[in-house]
């Protein structure tokens, strides 16, 4: 342990007590606070993890895998298992319209202490987002959520020791008592990548504003989008795979002359690009009849197209999940479910 009267290791030539001692004390106190909060969070997380592995959730686990993982490659997917576990427990909307944390809370509430209840409530509201460093002080870092505009102060200076003002990241924040933890995923990204992700997500949100009251609610229901970016950033094979998928869709669009046909409805275009060949005609026939009756409909074409394909497959007795169809159209099962409900109500 460094003595108070020894030379400061920063190289200033001053004694430690007259140089960095106070700063180091503040940083050490912040680190202790973070470690305590991490241990409290970890204790609850272990209970959540064990609960999520009960046999009654096996089918939901498989659905979540289907939605989360981009490639059907066991070796690649192993790299993201930790992130998937968080997605499954905190984000995957089950058949009963609940996420695992809510199911756990409702079943175990009588045996939970107040701290566990408070952490769970924070988990209910948590989501993955894009953050930028606004201020770096001794003992804390101020972050700005680039999507919601909300500011978050964290004392996790050890995790963010290499980040400077203006640096960007993909991360997830959970509050434990009065401490904001960065959990699960913290990936440094360039400002250029930050701008691309923020613009794409905000444009997507605008397409679904009629379904979600604000951007935070949208993000809570669409964390899979940020996890998708994360997988691309961490593994080039996934980027290549998605690039080929995009090229395939573009080739399919050319096949049907979608880019040249000005009269082609956007929902019809989405159906032609994504629907299985054997279902295209029935989907288009249903959609044309539907829009003739109901006229102009609000919302993203992908949301409506996904709901139509899901409806046609279910009507024809095919075994299909909302996760399977959602993944094809790059939307969340929650969005598909809401559009499918609209489809049946209209």
């Amino acid at each position: 342990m460094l003595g108070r009267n020894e030379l400061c290791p920063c190289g200033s030539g001053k004694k430690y007590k007259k140089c960095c001692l106070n700063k180091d004390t503040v940083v050490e106190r912040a680190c202790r606070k973070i470690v305590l909060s991490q241990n409290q969070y970890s204790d609850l997380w272990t209970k959540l993890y064990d609960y999520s592995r009960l046999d009654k959730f096996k089918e939901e686990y498989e659905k979540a895998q289907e939605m989360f993982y981009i490639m059907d490659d066991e070796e690649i997917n192993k790299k993201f298992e930790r992130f998937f576990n968080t997605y499954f427990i905190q984000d995957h909307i089950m058949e009963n319209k609940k996420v695992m944390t809510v199911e756990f809370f409702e079943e175990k509430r009588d045996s939970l202490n107040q701290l566990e209840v408070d952490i769970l409530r924070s988990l209910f509201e948590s989501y993955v987002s894009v953050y930028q460093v606004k201020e770096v002080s001794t003992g804390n870092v101020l972050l700005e959520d680039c999507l919601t505009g909300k500011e978050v102060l964290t004392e996790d200076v050890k995790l963010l020791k290499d980040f400077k003002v203006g640096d960007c990241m993909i991360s997830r924040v959970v509050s434990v008592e009065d401490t904001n933890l960065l959990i699960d995923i913290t990936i440094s990204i360039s400002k250029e990548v930050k701008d691309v992700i923020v613009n794409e997500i905000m444009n997507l949100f605008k397409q679904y504003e009629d379904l979600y009251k604000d951007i935070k609610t949208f993000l809570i229901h669409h964390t899979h989008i940020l996890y998708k970016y994360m997988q691309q950033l961490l593994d080039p094979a996934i980027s290549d795979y998605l690039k080929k998928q995009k090229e395939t869709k573009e080739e399919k669009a050319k096949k049907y002359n979608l880019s040249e046909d000005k009269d082609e409805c956007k929902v019809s275009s989405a159906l032609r690009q994504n629907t299985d060949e054997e279902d295209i005609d029935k989907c288009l026939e249903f959609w044309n009849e539907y829009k003739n009756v109901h006229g102009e409909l609000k919302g993203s074409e992908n949301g409506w197209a996904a709901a139509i394909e899901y409806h046609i497959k279910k009507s024809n007795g095919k075994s299909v999940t909302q996760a399977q169809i959602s993944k094809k159209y790059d939307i969340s099962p929650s969005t598909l479910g809401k559009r499918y409900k609209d489809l049946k109500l209209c």
Side-chain angles (χ1 to χ4, degrees):
M1 187 175 181
L2 191 65
R4 292 169 54 85
N5 291 313
E6 293 183 53
L7 289 177
C8 188
C10 75
S12 66
K14 299 179 182 178
K15 289 183 179 181
Y16 183 47
K17 66 182 180 182
K18 294 184 177 293
C19 193
C20 292
L21 174 60
N22 290 338
K23 182 184 76 173
D24 289 351
T25 300
V26 172
V27 171
E28 185 181 345
R29 189 181 299 122
C31 289
R32 285 201 303 267
K33 191 175 180 182
I34 285 290
V35 169
L36 174 61
S37 297
Q38 286 172 335
N39 289 337
Q40 291 170 326
Y41 171 77
S42 181
D43 289 343
L44 177 61
W45 178 255
T46 299
K47 294 179 182 180
L48 283 165
Y49 179 86
D50 291 341
Y51 179 76
S52 72
R53 290 308 184 271
L54 295 176
D55 287 342
K56 64 179 178 179
F57 298 121
K58 184 178 179 181
E59 189 174 330
E60 292 294 347
Y61 183 84
E62 292 170 354
K63 288 179 185 177
Q65 284 183 312
E66 193 170 37
M67 189 66 197
F68 179 88
Y69 292 119
I70 295 171
M71 294 179 64
D72 186 17
D73 187 309
E74 193 173 337
E75 281 304 308
I76 289 178
N77 292 343
K78 279 182 181 177
K79 300 177 185 178
F80 309 113
E81 187 174 2
R82 180 165 59 92
F83 306 136
F84 166 75
N85 288 333
T86 303
Y87 169 80
F88 176 51
I89 292 171
Q90 296 181 202
D91 306 311
H92 172 66
I93 299 175
M94 299 186 289
E95 195 68 30
N96 61 8
K97 308 304 179 186
K98 299 175 185 176
V99 294
M100 190 68 64
T101 47
V102 172
E103 186 85 358
F104 175 84
F105 171 73
E106 291 181 352
E107 186 175 320
K108 306 285 186 179
R109 71 174 74 197
D110 292 338
S111 62
L112 298 172
N113 59 45
Q114 189 57 50
L115 175 61
E116 290 173 326
V117 170
D118 291 342
I119 296 174
L120 281 169
R121 284 175 177 159
S122 178
L123 289 176
F124 298 160
E125 297 289 312
S126 76
Y127 54 89
V128 185
S129 194
V130 179
Y131 293 90
Q132 187 164 22
V133 178
K134 287 200 71 177
E135 294 178 15
V136 178
S137 306
T138 301
N140 58 58
V141 178
L142 182 64
L143 304 174
E144 180 181 13
D145 186 329
C146 300
L147 290 165
T148 68
K150 178 183 176 182
E151 291 185 351
V152 178
L153 190 68
T154 177
E155 289 156 305
D156 206 342
V157 292
K158 187 175 182 181
L159 176 66
L160 301 178
K161 61 183 176 63
D162 296 324
F163 284 82
K164 299 177 178 62
V165 172
D167 287 350
C168 307
M169 70 194 79
I170 297 175
S171 193
R172 183 171 200 143
V173 179
V174 171
S175 179
V176 178
E177 293 189 307
D178 62 341
T179 304
N180 289 315
L181 297 179
L182 304 184
I183 67 160
D184 176 85
I185 168 177
T186 301
I187 298 176
S188 175
I189 57 175
S190 68
K191 291 181 182 178
E192 292 74 20
V193 170
K194 181 265 290 183
D195 290 339
V196 169
I197 294 175
V198 169
N199 287 336
E200 287 185 357
I201 290 179
M202 292 307 292
N203 287 333
L204 191 60
F205 169 60
K206 287 176 184 177
Q207 297 177 35
Y208 295 105
E209 277 187 293
D210 62 316
L211 293 180
Y212 301 97
K213 63 179 181 179
D214 52 37
I215 183 64
K216 179 182 175 181
T217 306
F218 175 80
L219 290 171
I220 289 172
H221 286 84
H222 291 77
T223 56
H224 72 285
I225 298 174
L226 273 301
Y227 279 122
K228 185 175 180 180
Y229 285 120
M230 175 269 294
Q231 291 179 66
Q232 292 178 70
L233 290 167
L234 294 180
D235 197 307
I238 291 178
S239 296
D240 292 340
Y241 174 78
L242 290 173
K243 184 179 178 181
K244 288 177 182 176
Q245 272 196 333
K246 184 179 179 181
E247 290 171 352
T248 299
K249 286 189 177 184
E250 289 173 351
E251 288 173 7
K252 200 170 181 181
K254 288 179 181 178
K255 175 183 174 183
Y256 290 103
N257 296 318
L258 300 183
S259 58
E260 299 172 12
D261 188 352
K262 295 180 181 179
D263 295 327
E264 179 78 359
C265 166
K266 288 184 178 181
V267 174
S268 298
S269 297
L271 286 167
R272 290 187 188 279
Q273 289 183 64
N274 295 285
T275 307
D276 298 334
E277 292 286 345
E278 66 268 22
D279 294 320
I280 286 179
D281 290 341
K282 289 181 180 179
C283 286
L284 290 173
E285 181 182 355
F286 176 85
W287 171 242
N288 288 328
E289 291 177 358
Y290 189 84
K291 70 177 180 178
N292 286 337
V293 173
H294 300 284
E296 193 71 22
L297 295 168
K298 294 181 179 180
S300 166
E301 58 272 12
N302 275 14
W304 286 109
I308 290 162
E309 183 177 352
Y310 181 70
H311 169 73
I312 291 299
K313 287 185 181 300
K314 293 288 284 184
S315 298
N316 292 335
K318 293 185 178 180
S319 178
V320 64
T321 66
Q322 291 188 1
Q324 289 172 325
I325 302 298
S326 299
K327 191 169 184 177
K328 289 173 62 176
Y329 291 86
D330 202 21
I331 62 174
S332 72
S334 170
T335 297
L336 189 156
K338 290 178 179 179
R339 280 291 177 238
Y340 181 56
K341 183 179 179 181
D342 291 340
L343 203 66
K344 295 168 70 177
L345 288 174
C346 285

PDB file of all heavy atoms in Angstrom, residues 121-143:
ATOM      1  N   ARG A 121     -38.054  -3.755 -10.280  1.00  0.00           N
ATOM      2  CA  ARG A 121     -38.769  -2.631 -10.888  1.00  0.00           C
ATOM      3  C   ARG A 121     -37.868  -1.873 -11.856  1.00  0.00           C
ATOM      4  O   ARG A 121     -38.317  -1.378 -12.899  1.00  0.00           O
ATOM      5  CB  ARG A 121     -39.299  -1.705  -9.796  1.00  0.00           C
ATOM      6  CG  ARG A 121     -40.534  -2.280  -9.093  1.00  0.00           C
ATOM      7  CD  ARG A 121     -40.988  -1.430  -7.942  1.00  0.00           C
ATOM      8  NE  ARG A 121     -42.209  -1.965  -7.342  1.00  0.00           N
ATOM      9  CZ  ARG A 121     -42.628  -1.702  -6.120  1.00  0.00           C
ATOM     10  NH1 ARG A 121     -41.897  -0.899  -5.340  1.00  0.00           N
ATOM     11  NH2 ARG A 121     -43.746  -2.218  -5.651  1.00  0.00           N
ATOM     12  N   SER A 122     -36.584  -1.777 -11.509  1.00  0.00           N
ATOM     13  CA  SER A 122     -35.638  -1.138 -12.425  1.00  0.00           C
ATOM     14  C   SER A 122     -35.445  -1.997 -13.683  1.00  0.00           C
ATOM     15  O   SER A 122     -35.347  -1.471 -14.793  1.00  0.00           O
ATOM     16  CB  SER A 122     -34.286  -0.924 -11.729  1.00  0.00           C
ATOM     17  OG  SER A 122     -33.358  -0.341 -12.615  1.00  0.00           O
ATOM     18  N   LEU A 123     -35.423  -3.307 -13.481  1.00  0.00           N
ATOM     19  CA  LEU A 123     -35.279  -4.216 -14.629  1.00  0.00           C
ATOM     20  C   LEU A 123     -36.479  -4.113 -15.569  1.00  0.00           C
ATOM     21  O   LEU A 123     -36.319  -4.212 -16.793  1.00  0.00           O
ATOM     22  CB  LEU A 123     -35.129  -5.659 -14.142  1.00  0.00           C
ATOM     23  CG  LEU A 123     -33.810  -6.017 -13.465  1.00  0.00           C
ATOM     24  CD1 LEU A 123     -33.835  -7.449 -12.943  1.00  0.00           C
ATOM     25  CD2 LEU A 123     -32.649  -5.855 -14.433  1.00  0.00           C
ATOM     26  N   PHE A 124     -37.676  -3.927 -14.999  1.00  0.00           N
ATOM     27  CA  PHE A 124     -38.877  -3.791 -15.834  1.00  0.00           C
ATOM     28  C   PHE A 124     -38.720  -2.634 -16.827  1.00  0.00           C
ATOM     29  O   PHE A 124     -39.258  -2.673 -17.928  1.00  0.00           O
ATOM     30  CB  PHE A 124     -40.127  -3.518 -14.977  1.00  0.00           C
ATOM     31  CG  PHE A 124     -40.479  -4.603 -14.008  1.00  0.00           C
ATOM     32  CD1 PHE A 124     -41.298  -4.329 -12.914  1.00  0.00           C
ATOM     33  CD2 PHE A 124     -40.006  -5.903 -14.168  1.00  0.00           C
ATOM     34  CE1 PHE A 124     -41.646  -5.335 -12.009  1.00  0.00           C
ATOM     35  CE2 PHE A 124     -40.337  -6.899 -13.255  1.00  0.00           C
ATOM     36  CZ  PHE A 124     -41.152  -6.617 -12.176  1.00  0.00           C
ATOM     37  N   GLU A 125     -38.005  -1.604 -16.397  1.00  0.00           N
ATOM     38  CA  GLU A 125     -37.875  -0.379 -17.204  1.00  0.00           C
ATOM     39  C   GLU A 125     -36.567  -0.323 -17.990  1.00  0.00           C
ATOM     40  O   GLU A 125     -36.306   0.657 -18.684  1.00  0.00           O
ATOM     41  CB  GLU A 125     -37.936   0.842 -16.277  1.00  0.00           C
ATOM     42  CG  GLU A 125     -39.252   1.011 -15.544  1.00  0.00           C
ATOM     43  CD  GLU A 125     -40.372   1.426 -16.478  1.00  0.00           C
ATOM     44  OE1 GLU A 125     -40.166   2.367 -17.269  1.00  0.00           O
ATOM     45  OE2 GLU A 125     -41.446   0.798 -16.437  1.00  0.00           O
ATOM     46  N   SER A 126     -35.742  -1.349 -17.887  1.00  0.00           N
ATOM     47  CA  SER A 126     -34.420  -1.283 -18.517  1.00  0.00           C
ATOM     48  C   SER A 126     -34.475  -1.656 -19.999  1.00  0.00           C
ATOM     49  O   SER A 126     -35.379  -2.350 -20.449  1.00  0.00           O
ATOM     50  CB  SER A 126     -33.438  -2.201 -17.785  1.00  0.00           C
ATOM     51  OG  SER A 126     -33.660  -3.554 -18.116  1.00  0.00           O
ATOM     52  N   TYR A 127     -33.500  -1.172 -20.727  1.00  0.00           N
ATOM     53  CA  TYR A 127     -33.403  -1.437 -22.166  1.00  0.00           C
ATOM     54  C   TYR A 127     -31.968  -1.167 -22.616  1.00  0.00           C
ATOM     55  O   TYR A 127     -31.199  -0.498 -21.921  1.00  0.00           O
ATOM     56  CB  TYR A 127     -34.382  -0.543 -22.943  1.00  0.00           C
ATOM     57  CG  TYR A 127     -34.222   0.931 -22.646  1.00  0.00           C
ATOM     58  CD1 TYR A 127     -33.347   1.730 -23.381  1.00  0.00           C
ATOM     59  CD2 TYR A 127     -34.927   1.523 -21.597  1.00  0.00           C
ATOM     60  CE1 TYR A 127     -33.184   3.073 -23.092  1.00  0.00           C
ATOM     61  CE2 TYR A 127     -34.765   2.872 -21.301  1.00  0.00           C
ATOM     62  CZ  TYR A 127     -33.894   3.642 -22.058  1.00  0.00           C
ATOM     63  OH  TYR A 127     -33.729   4.963 -21.760  1.00  0.00           O
ATOM     64  N   VAL A 128     -31.629  -1.672 -23.759  1.00  0.00           N
ATOM     65  CA  VAL A 128     -30.315  -1.399 -24.345  1.00  0.00           C
ATOM     66  C   VAL A 128     -30.427  -0.111 -25.149  1.00  0.00           C
ATOM     67  O   VAL A 128     -31.407   0.108 -25.851  1.00  0.00           O
ATOM     68  CB  VAL A 128     -29.867  -2.550 -25.264  1.00  0.00           C
ATOM     69  CG1 VAL A 128     -28.441  -2.302 -25.780  1.00  0.00           C
ATOM     70  CG2 VAL A 128     -29.939  -3.879 -24.532  1.00  0.00           C
ATOM     71  N   SER A 129     -29.426   0.759 -25.035  1.00  0.00           N
ATOM     72  CA  SER A 129     -29.468   2.005 -25.795  1.00  0.00           C
ATOM     73  C   SER A 129     -28.057   2.439 -26.202  1.00  0.00           C
ATOM     74  O   SER A 129     -27.064   1.767 -25.899  1.00  0.00           O
ATOM     75  CB  SER A 129     -30.149   3.111 -24.986  1.00  0.00           C
ATOM     76  OG  SER A 129     -30.468   4.207 -25.817  1.00  0.00           O
ATOM     77  N   VAL A 130     -28.009   3.570 -26.877  1.00  0.00           N
ATOM     78  CA  VAL A 130     -26.743   4.160 -27.307  1.00  0.00           C
ATOM     79  C   VAL A 130     -26.455   5.351 -26.395  1.00  0.00           C
ATOM     80  O   VAL A 130     -27.310   6.234 -26.231  1.00  0.00           O
ATOM     81  CB  VAL A 130     -26.826   4.632 -28.773  1.00  0.00           C
ATOM     82  CG1 VAL A 130     -25.494   5.264 -29.199  1.00  0.00           C
ATOM     83  CG2 VAL A 130     -27.180   3.467 -29.687  1.00  0.00           C
ATOM     84  N   TYR A 131     -25.260   5.364 -25.808  1.00  0.00           N
ATOM     85  CA  TYR A 131     -24.901   6.425 -24.870  1.00  0.00           C
ATOM     86  C   TYR A 131     -23.644   7.162 -25.329  1.00  0.00           C
ATOM     87  O   TYR A 131     -22.777   6.587 -25.990  1.00  0.00           O
ATOM     88  CB  TYR A 131     -24.645   5.849 -23.471  1.00  0.00           C
ATOM     89  CG  TYR A 131     -25.885   5.294 -22.808  1.00  0.00           C
ATOM     90  CD1 TYR A 131     -26.265   3.964 -22.975  1.00  0.00           C
ATOM     91  CD2 TYR A 131     -26.700   6.106 -22.018  1.00  0.00           C
ATOM     92  CE1 TYR A 131     -27.416   3.453 -22.375  1.00  0.00           C
ATOM     93  CE2 TYR A 131     -27.847   5.613 -21.412  1.00  0.00           C
ATOM     94  CZ  TYR A 131     -28.201   4.281 -21.602  1.00  0.00           C
ATOM     95  OH  TYR A 131     -29.338   3.789 -21.005  1.00  0.00           O
ATOM     96  N   GLN A 132     -23.572   8.446 -24.939  1.00  0.00           N
ATOM     97  CA  GLN A 132     -22.377   9.242 -25.213  1.00  0.00           C
ATOM     98  C   GLN A 132     -21.901   9.868 -23.899  1.00  0.00           C
ATOM     99  O   GLN A 132     -22.714  10.310 -23.084  1.00  0.00           O
ATOM    100  CB  GLN A 132     -22.675  10.333 -26.231  1.00  0.00           C
ATOM    101  CG  GLN A 132     -21.435  11.099 -26.686  1.00  0.00           C
ATOM    102  CD  GLN A 132     -21.681  11.903 -27.954  1.00  0.00           C
ATOM    103  OE1 GLN A 132     -22.826  12.235 -28.282  1.00  0.00           O
ATOM    104  NE2 GLN A 132     -20.634  12.228 -28.682  1.00  0.00           N
ATOM    105  N   VAL A 133     -20.593   9.881 -23.695  1.00  0.00           N
ATOM    106  CA  VAL A 133     -20.021  10.448 -22.475  1.00  0.00           C
ATOM    107  C   VAL A 133     -20.116  11.975 -22.538  1.00  0.00           C
ATOM    108  O   VAL A 133     -19.606  12.602 -23.459  1.00  0.00           O
ATOM    109  CB  VAL A 133     -18.555  10.019 -22.291  1.00  0.00           C
ATOM    110  CG1 VAL A 133     -17.969  10.665 -21.030  1.00  0.00           C
ATOM    111  CG2 VAL A 133     -18.452   8.498 -22.197  1.00  0.00           C
ATOM    112  N   LYS A 134     -20.760  12.576 -21.537  1.00  0.00           N
ATOM    113  CA  LYS A 134     -20.895  14.044 -21.477  1.00  0.00           C
ATOM    114  C   LYS A 134     -19.853  14.665 -20.558  1.00  0.00           C
ATOM    115  O   LYS A 134     -19.306  15.721 -20.854  1.00  0.00           O
ATOM    116  CB  LYS A 134     -22.290  14.432 -20.987  1.00  0.00           C
ATOM    117  CG  LYS A 134     -23.388  14.215 -22.011  1.00  0.00           C
ATOM    118  CD  LYS A 134     -24.633  15.036 -21.680  1.00  0.00           C
ATOM    119  CE  LYS A 134     -24.399  16.514 -21.908  1.00  0.00           C
ATOM    120  NZ  LYS A 134     -25.633  17.316 -21.663  1.00  0.00           N
ATOM    121  N   GLU A 135     -19.624  14.017 -19.408  1.00  0.00           N
ATOM    122  CA  GLU A 135     -18.650  14.542 -18.446  1.00  0.00           C
ATOM    123  C   GLU A 135     -17.925  13.384 -17.768  1.00  0.00           C
ATOM    124  O   GLU A 135     -18.532  12.334 -17.515  1.00  0.00           O
ATOM    125  CB  GLU A 135     -19.338  15.389 -17.366  1.00  0.00           C
ATOM    126  CG  GLU A 135     -19.969  16.668 -17.853  1.00  0.00           C
ATOM    127  CD  GLU A 135     -20.679  17.432 -16.736  1.00  0.00           C
ATOM    128  OE1 GLU A 135     -20.418  17.096 -15.543  1.00  0.00           O
ATOM    129  OE2 GLU A 135     -21.482  18.315 -17.035  1.00  0.00           O
ATOM    130  N   VAL A 136     -16.660  13.586 -17.484  1.00  0.00           N
ATOM    131  CA  VAL A 136     -15.877  12.612 -16.713  1.00  0.00           C
ATOM    132  C   VAL A 136     -15.319  13.329 -15.499  1.00  0.00           C
ATOM    133  O   VAL A 136     -14.545  14.279 -15.640  1.00  0.00           O
ATOM    134  CB  VAL A 136     -14.731  12.012 -17.552  1.00  0.00           C
ATOM    135  CG1 VAL A 136     -13.911  11.043 -16.694  1.00  0.00           C
ATOM    136  CG2 VAL A 136     -15.269  11.292 -18.790  1.00  0.00           C
ATOM    137  N   SER A 137     -15.754  12.912 -14.303  1.00  0.00           N
ATOM    138  CA  SER A 137     -15.287  13.531 -13.065  1.00  0.00           C
ATOM    139  C   SER A 137     -14.629  12.472 -12.192  1.00  0.00           C
ATOM    140  O   SER A 137     -14.721  11.272 -12.456  1.00  0.00           O
ATOM    141  CB  SER A 137     -16.470  14.155 -12.303  1.00  0.00           C
ATOM    142  OG  SER A 137     -17.182  15.044 -13.120  1.00  0.00           O
ATOM    143  N   THR A 138     -13.973  12.904 -11.140  1.00  0.00           N
ATOM    144  CA  THR A 138     -13.390  11.963 -10.195  1.00  0.00           C
ATOM    145  C   THR A 138     -14.507  11.212  -9.478  1.00  0.00           C
ATOM    146  O   THR A 138     -15.306  11.810  -8.765  1.00  0.00           O
ATOM    147  CB  THR A 138     -12.530  12.698  -9.157  1.00  0.00           C
ATOM    148  OG1 THR A 138     -11.494  13.417  -9.831  1.00  0.00           O
ATOM    149  CG2 THR A 138     -11.904  11.705  -8.182  1.00  0.00           C
ATOM    150  N   GLY A 139     -14.617   9.937  -9.736  1.00  0.00           N
ATOM    151  CA  GLY A 139     -15.613   9.129  -9.029  1.00  0.00           C
ATOM    152  C   GLY A 139     -16.906   8.908  -9.771  1.00  0.00           C
ATOM    153  O   GLY A 139     -17.742   8.113  -9.333  1.00  0.00           O
ATOM    154  N   ASN A 140     -17.128   9.571 -10.926  1.00  0.00           N
ATOM    155  CA  ASN A 140     -18.359   9.306 -11.676  1.00  0.00           C
ATOM    156  C   ASN A 140     -18.227   9.757 -13.137  1.00  0.00           C
ATOM    157  O   ASN A 140     -17.340  10.546 -13.487  1.00  0.00           O
ATOM    158  CB  ASN A 140     -19.575   9.948 -11.017  1.00  0.00           C
ATOM    159  CG  ASN A 140     -19.438  11.438 -10.848  1.00  0.00           C
ATOM    160  OD1 ASN A 140     -19.255  12.163 -11.812  1.00  0.00           O
ATOM    161  ND2 ASN A 140     -19.514  11.903  -9.596  1.00  0.00           N
ATOM    162  N   VAL A 141     -19.141   9.248 -13.950  1.00  0.00           N
ATOM    163  CA  VAL A 141     -19.184   9.587 -15.373  1.00  0.00           C
ATOM    164  C   VAL A 141     -20.636   9.905 -15.726  1.00  0.00           C
ATOM    165  O   VAL A 141     -21.543   9.152 -15.377  1.00  0.00           O
ATOM    166  CB  VAL A 141     -18.682   8.417 -16.249  1.00  0.00           C
ATOM    167  CG1 VAL A 141     -18.783   8.773 -17.730  1.00  0.00           C
ATOM    168  CG2 VAL A 141     -17.246   8.049 -15.890  1.00  0.00           C
ATOM    169  N   LEU A 142     -20.855  11.025 -16.411  1.00  0.00           N
ATOM    170  CA  LEU A 142     -22.195  11.415 -16.846  1.00  0.00           C
ATOM    171  C   LEU A 142     -22.399  10.983 -18.292  1.00  0.00           C
ATOM    172  O   LEU A 142     -21.621  11.353 -19.181  1.00  0.00           O
ATOM    173  CB  LEU A 142     -22.384  12.923 -16.723  1.00  0.00           C
ATOM    174  CG  LEU A 142     -23.769  13.465 -17.113  1.00  0.00           C
ATOM    175  CD1 LEU A 142     -24.839  12.923 -16.158  1.00  0.00           C
ATOM    176  CD2 LEU A 142     -23.774  14.991 -17.119  1.00  0.00           C
ATOM    177  N   LEU A 143     -23.454  10.182 -18.513  1.00  0.00           N
ATOM    178  CA  LEU A 143     -23.772   9.682 -19.847  1.00  0.00           C
ATOM    179  C   LEU A 143     -25.073  10.303 -20.331  1.00  0.00           C
ATOM    180  O   LEU A 143     -25.966  10.595 -19.534  1.00  0.00           O
ATOM    181  CB  LEU A 143     -23.929   8.157 -19.820  1.00  0.00           C
ATOM    182  CG  LEU A 143     -22.768   7.329 -19.282  1.00  0.00           C
ATOM    183  CD1 LEU A 143     -23.169   5.852 -19.210  1.00  0.00           C
ATOM    184  CD2 LEU A 143     -21.535   7.497 -20.150  1.00  0.00           C
TER     185      LEU A 143
END
